[in-house]
Amino acid sequence: MWLANTRRRASSGETSRRRDLLRLLGAAGVAGLAGCSGDGGAGTGTGTGAETGTSAGGGRSDQVTYTSASSVDAQSLNWLTTADSTSGAFVTATLDGAWAIKPGQEIFPLWADVSTDDGRVYEIELRDNLRWGGDYGQQTAEDWVYMIRNVFQAEPNWSGYPNAGDWFRQNPDSGQREPIPVEKTGTYTFEIQLFDVDPSFPFKPVMWRQQCIPRALLEQYVPEKDGEGLRQDEELNTLAYTGNLGPYTFEEWDRTSQYVVTRNDDYYLHDADVPDRFTNAPYFEEKAFQILKEESARLGALRAGDVHSAGIPPDKASQFETLESVSVNVTPQPYARILVYNMRANGWEPFRAKAVRQALAFAVNKRAIVENVLRGYAEVAQTMQPRWSKWYDDSTVVEYGVGDRYGSETTRSRLADALSETEYAYDGDALVDGSGEQVTLTLYFDQGQPTEQTIGEFVAQEIQQNAGIAVEPKSISTSTFQDKFVKTSPPQGVEPEWSAGVFNGGRATSPRAPNRGTCPSISSSTPTRSRPLPARASSRSRGDQLLRLLPRGGHRGALRAGVADDGRGAATGAVRGGVRAHQRGTALRLPRDAVVDIGLRRTGRRLRRGVQHRLGLPDVALQVT
């Protein structure tokens, strides 16, 4: 369910010089300063731009340290294993990636440029001045081809790389899902040979802002498929291999407190054919991310001048717009708040029916969220594309949650029809199961984010009132939600039929954590009938159900948390985290078509009337991240 396209605010003192460029289609990295430090989804940010002292024309700044406030800490600096936007932002400060995208859909080469003659075979040409850290030498095409073939395209996905699915496509000749052929063509060039013509390939998350790891480093783990060794590698976890590949180098990371990088005097763009403003980039001697979990602490630090940029909730925007010391800039963003349903084997069976999900889309008043909660700093969203996108086609848009396509009567009539062949039906105003118990959901919102809590409580109220489903809002941290309910892996000693990363571990999956205890944050109104949700939502039991409300399309990884059933019983990774949330770069990767098209493609299998579904009350979780 698409709720709203948000607008993002950023420091005007920083925006004009920001290296990270807006991503229009998705994200290979993480949100930039304003995005990463935001309030958790409102898409607003402020900065004390007047204090930065950045000179006009691309000169160095007199300000020694630029500090931004972040509501959450990173999970890891090993980008092969993460999918949250904060981790992506931390890493992206030291690793630029392949290329960025400028307004007007123009490629901006960073490490590499891309070209094609036919829209099917793409040649990637690396700069010849890219150097790894340590003893790894120069970055070459050999590093890329080895990493893609042995890590990204490895079957099974032994490294747990969350975006492995990007490197597989349907081969029309065989009818099978196969690795995209990649061939080295020179010291600094390699080809990506698609099966079909795809003119938009450079703008997709596959290579857009993609990062790389030295072949010699990976060779320590590839032969034995040592995923644990790769995850624990000291060089990967301290960014010791980054060399001259980013504007900053890793300095320190005080977990739960701050992350600091220092200016890279050997930055490769100093000697590249790029605009003059990059000659002295970056503009600060030091860049720090201060972890302030509470919104009040972040806003207080901004007012006091202790940080230069911080996200603000829409209801506080007017307060900062009147402050002379703070510059507030509102810019259009392609991010959307979306309601993602769990259609995995352990999810509520009716969620796998397109008609059920569409019926629930009539229950939530989108305009009320935009106007009353987000205070107009968003627009009602009906598709993954914002109205200003060249791919937006108003003639094909079907609206939900507005006008006469919102309300109790239209929701209940459609939901009743959609559930007509199942054990679920209405008993008065309540939707009940075959035992006459009301369907009960649990809604999770991002901890420490008042705006997300307000949205969560409103959505819970709307679903209760218009759909007759009880919803209990609860808070949870993004990292906890991902670790406990989203990531999957096969049980020890079990080979999955397929794997597409840590969020999509294949059919033969079970909770990754060895402790399969209960999750205390999930509860039921009838304890004797409830069944605890496994430590991670991936087993094939049906006890509890899971919904997740995600803001923005968000690090490629964060939004990959949304998964859908592709009709074969396979949980298909749906959301990209954003800036590869952050998710590297200034934007999160948007949710891909999978979350909408693949997810909604499944219209049956429904429980037949009379089939007893006695595995406990349907506990469904929503989360705003």
Side-chain angles (χ1 to χ4, degrees):
M1 183 193 303
W2 303 94
L3 297 179
N5 291 114
T6 59
R7 301 190 184 99
R8 178 167 293 176
R9 292 168 174 251
S11 161
S12 62
E14 173 71 3
T15 302
S16 62
R17 301 171 178 84
R18 181 175 291 169
R19 293 183 312 97
D20 294 331
L21 301 172
L22 175 64
R23 301 182 179 199
L24 299 179
L25 293 178
V30 195
L33 291 177
C36 175
S37 60
D39 68 305
T44 60
T46 60
T48 50
E51 298 180 10
T52 62
T54 308
S55 63
R60 291 283 300 284
S61 171
D62 296 329
Q63 183 75 28
V64 175
T65 301
Y66 186 95
T67 304
S68 62
S70 175
S71 61
V72 295
D73 199 3
Q75 293 185 341
S76 170
L77 299 181
N78 185 344
W79 60 265
L80 275 176
T81 65
T82 61
D84 65 290
S85 59
T86 307
S87 297
F90 286 8
V91 173
T92 301
T94 67
L95 289 171
D96 273 347
W99 58 75
I101 300 176
K102 298 170 61 176
Q105 295 296 286
E106 180 182 350
I107 297 295
F108 184 89
L110 292 172
W111 294 350
D113 202 354
V114 58
S115 62
T116 183
D117 292 328
D118 58 6
R120 188 186 69 82
V121 177
Y122 285 86
E123 182 177 76
I124 313 301
E125 182 176 5
L126 301 170
R127 296 183 187 274
D128 60 8
N129 65 338
L130 305 176
R131 297 191 305 278
W132 298 112
D135 299 325
Y136 293 113
Q138 202 160 16
Q139 182 183 119
T140 67
E142 189 66 35
D143 295 309
W144 283 87
V145 173
Y146 186 85
M147 177 185 68
I148 293 169
R149 289 178 176 175
N150 295 281
V151 180
F152 294 175
Q153 297 178 334
E155 294 186 286
N157 182 10
W158 61 272
S159 70
Y161 179 53
N163 305 312
D166 292 346
W167 290 93
F168 292 79
R169 290 196 175 185
Q170 195 82 2
N171 185 339
D173 292 333
S174 67
Q176 301 297 313
R177 177 178 173 272
E178 298 178 4
I180 299 173
V182 180
E183 299 289 343
K184 175 185 172 183
T185 56
T187 303
Y188 303 111
T189 59
F190 63 96
E191 284 185 348
I192 298 176
Q193 303 164 358
L194 305 180
F195 299 119
D196 291 307
V197 172
D198 184 359
S200 64
F201 176 79
F203 304 100
K204 293 182 176 180
V206 188
M207 279 293 293
W208 175 14
R209 211 61 188 265
Q210 179 61 61
Q211 294 162 343
C212 188
I213 293 174
R215 170 173 178 160
L217 194 161
L218 292 174
E219 284 179 328
Q220 303 173 60
Y221 308 104
V222 167
E224 300 298 324
K225 293 181 171 53
D226 183 6
E228 185 60 27
L230 185 68
R231 284 188 286 274
Q232 299 299 327
D233 184 90
E234 183 177 356
E235 290 183 292
L236 290 176
N237 284 286
T238 59
L239 300 172
Y241 63 97
T242 58
N244 74 340
L245 303 177
Y248 294 94
T249 57
F250 173 75
E251 180 67 22
E252 66 171 330
W253 184 19
D254 185 357
R255 299 298 292 262
T256 73
S257 178
Q258 73 171 359
Y259 173 77
V260 180
V261 291
T262 56
R263 187 177 190 275
N264 190 344
D265 292 327
D266 296 324
Y267 189 31
Y268 71 96
L269 283 184
H270 292 166
D271 302 318
D273 183 18
V274 292
D276 292 341
R277 64 179 177 274
F278 288 93
T279 302
N280 292 313
Y283 300 100
F284 302 96
E285 291 300 321
E286 190 175 79
K287 181 176 176 180
F289 298 80
Q290 194 170 120
I291 313 303
L292 300 172
K293 293 185 178 181
E294 294 300 321
E295 178 184 286
S296 58
R298 295 193 298 276
L299 299 185
L302 185 64
R303 288 193 183 93
D306 295 333
V307 299
H308 298 97
S309 122
I312 58 171
D315 63 333
K316 303 291 194 307
S318 59
Q319 299 177 20
F320 287 89
E321 288 174 332
T322 60
L323 298 179
E324 292 184 1
S325 61
V326 176
S327 177
V328 179
N329 181 33
V330 181
T331 56
Q333 296 293 321
Y335 309 132
R337 295 173 181 271
I338 58 176
L339 186 65
V340 180
Y341 307 97
N342 178 27
M343 289 169 279
R344 287 174 171 170
N346 66 331
W348 187 38
E349 191 85 6
F351 283 154
R352 300 185 180 186
K354 176 180 178 179
V356 170
R357 299 192 300 276
Q358 286 185 330
L360 290 175
F362 288 84
V364 179
N365 188 334
K366 296 181 180 182
R367 194 163 300 283
I369 294 177
V370 168
E371 296 176 355
N372 301 330
V373 181
L374 301 179
R375 305 300 176 92
Y377 292 109
E379 296 178 354
V380 170
Q382 301 292 354
T383 75
M384 66 176 289
Q385 296 294 336
R387 287 183 176 274
W388 47 265
S389 167
K390 70 179 183 180
W391 290 280
Y392 183 86
D393 183 356
D394 191 62
S395 66
T396 64
V397 172
V398 178
E399 295 189 335
Y400 296 91
V402 295
D404 60 3
R405 294 178 66 80
Y406 158 75
S408 178
E409 183 177 348
T410 187
T411 299
R412 291 169 186 266
S413 63
R414 286 174 168 79
L415 193 55
D417 289 343
L419 297 171
S420 61
E421 296 183 23
T422 74
E423 64 169 333
Y424 298 94
Y426 278 101
D427 181 3
D429 291 333
L431 183 68
V432 299
D433 62 15
S435 299
E437 300 287 349
Q438 184 176 22
V439 175
T440 302
L441 320 178
T442 299
L443 182 154
Y444 282 98
F445 57 85
D446 201 12
Q447 199 170 55
Q449 308 294 348
T451 299
E452 313 310 347
Q453 179 175 351
T454 301
I455 292 177
E457 291 174 346
F458 177 77
V459 170
Q461 174 183 301
E462 289 284 89
I463 293 178
Q464 168 77 57
Q465 178 177 314
N466 296 323
I469 299 174
V471 181
E472 181 181 358
K474 290 186 178 181
S475 66
I476 191 172
S477 69
T478 300
S479 59
T480 299
F481 187 88
Q482 284 196 13
D483 287 342
K484 287 186 176 294
F485 305 126
V486 179
K487 293 181 180 178
T488 66
S489 68
Q492 188 173 4
V494 175
E495 286 292 329
E497 296 180 29
W498 52 268
S499 177
V502 295
F503 298 118
N504 202 1
R507 276 198 191 109
T509 59
S510 69
R512 297 179 73 235
N515 176 12
R516 289 173 171 78
T518 64
C519 175
S521 59
I522 301 278
S523 63
S524 169
S525 58
T526 310
T528 57
R529 288 182 51 77
S530 65
R531 175 169 295 189
L533 188 67
R536 295 179 188 265
S538 59
S539 76
R540 295 189 62 82
S541 64
R542 294 178 185 162
D544 300 283
Q545 292 74 354
L546 176 66
L547 280 169
R548 186 175 183 185
L549 181 61
L550 297 163
R552 301 194 298 253
H555 164 48
R556 186 165 175 166
L559 291 186
R560 267 190 184 270
V563 292
D565 193 292
D566 65 359
R568 302 174 310 224
T572 303
V575 192
R576 284 253 193 208
V579 201
R580 198 159 143 223
H582 261 318
Q583 336 185 220
R584 330 171 185 147
T586 288
L588 273 157
R589 291 195 172 183
L590 288 177
R592 304 190 333 182
D593 291 347
V595 72
V596 179
D597 298 332
I598 294 178
L600 299 184
R601 193 176 297 147
R602 187 177 177 88
T603 58
R605 60 191 172 90
R606 303 171 180 170
L607 291 175
R608 296 292 177 181
R609 182 175 299 279
V611 174
Q612 297 301 307
H613 187 57
R614 299 184 179 279
L615 294 177
L617 290 175
D619 284 320
V620 185
L622 291 107
Q623 182 189 18
V624 179
T625 58

